[in-house]
Amino acid sequence: PKVLDKPEGETVTPPAGLPTVKENDKGVPEISVKGVAAPKALVSQDLIKGTGPEVKATDTLTVNYVGVALSSGKVFDSSFDRGEKTSFPLTGVIKGWTQGLTGKTVGSRVLLVIPQDLAYGAKGQGEAKGDLVFVVDILGVK
């Protein structure tokens, strides 16, 4: 199956109150968490609705992503910074990803706001602690 280089589909206007996402001049999503309340439940919001196949929980995804801690707004991980896409089985990641990306479509850009109990908890992994926010571009599945 072909792997996209960037999301393609219909732009979706997310509801108010969520982190906002802008692209910089390199096409990299930048997340602002200013004034965003802690999530009570997982938020999985399409920013671009792709037209590709639907993601199953058992799929291996090829993605680009950036993650920030909700409390600080600081980026703790970004495949864009490394300059290459990442692939992983959806069964082997934090619950917020498995639950939030299952049922989405290839070509989508998805905003995930993940409560800490579906991420790495309060202790976290390095900077990735507490509630987390990700933008995930779903570029391929197999």
Side-chain angles (χ1 to χ4, degrees), residues 39 42-43 94 96-97 112-116 118-119 130-134:
L42 174 67
V43 175
I94 56 173
W97 275 52
L112 297 174
V113 186
I114 304 178
Q116 62 183 23
L118 295 178
D131 303 322
L132 305 180
V133 181
F134 288 93

Side-chain angles (χ1 to χ4, degrees), residues 60-83:
T60 293
L61 304 194
T62 299
V63 302
N64 263 324
Y65 68 91
V66 57
V68 306
L70 184 62
S71 59
S72 67
K74 248 173 49 190
V75 173
F76 59 79
D77 194 9
S78 170
S79 66
F80 290 97
D81 287 356
R82 292 191 293 274

Side-chain angles (χ1 to χ4, degrees), residues 87-106:
S87 294
F88 54 80
L90 206 44
T91 52
V93 288
I94 56 173
K95 287 197 184 87
W97 275 52
T98 311
Q99 294 174 18
L101 297 178
T102 299
K104 296 295 180 186
T105 50
V106 174

Side-chain angles (χ1 to χ4, degrees), residues 11-111:
T11 302
V12 178
T13 304
L18 294 180
T20 53
V21 181
K22 291 191 175 66
E23 269 189 22
N24 69 15
D25 52 12
K26 296 191 183 79
V28 177
E30 297 184 330
I31 302 169
S32 166
V33 297
K34 216 174 137 78
V36 174
K40 293 189 172 44
L42 174 67
V43 175
S44 176
Q45 170 68 44
D46 288 335
L47 301 176
I48 296 171
K49 172 86 174 127
T51 53
E54 200 169 286
V55 173
K56 298 188 291 297
T58 51
D59 283 340
T60 293
L61 304 194
T62 299
V63 302
N64 263 324
Y65 68 91
V66 57
V68 306
L70 184 62
S71 59
S72 67
K74 248 173 49 190
V75 173
F76 59 79
D77 194 9
S78 170
S79 66
F80 290 97
D81 287 356
R82 292 191 293 274
E84 56 188 14
K85 304 172 187 128
T86 306
S87 294
F88 54 80
L90 206 44
T91 52
V93 288
I94 56 173
K95 287 197 184 87
W97 275 52
T98 311
Q99 294 174 18
L101 297 178
T102 299
K104 296 295 180 186
T105 50
V106 174
S108 294
R109 169 168 287 178
V110 183
L111 173 69

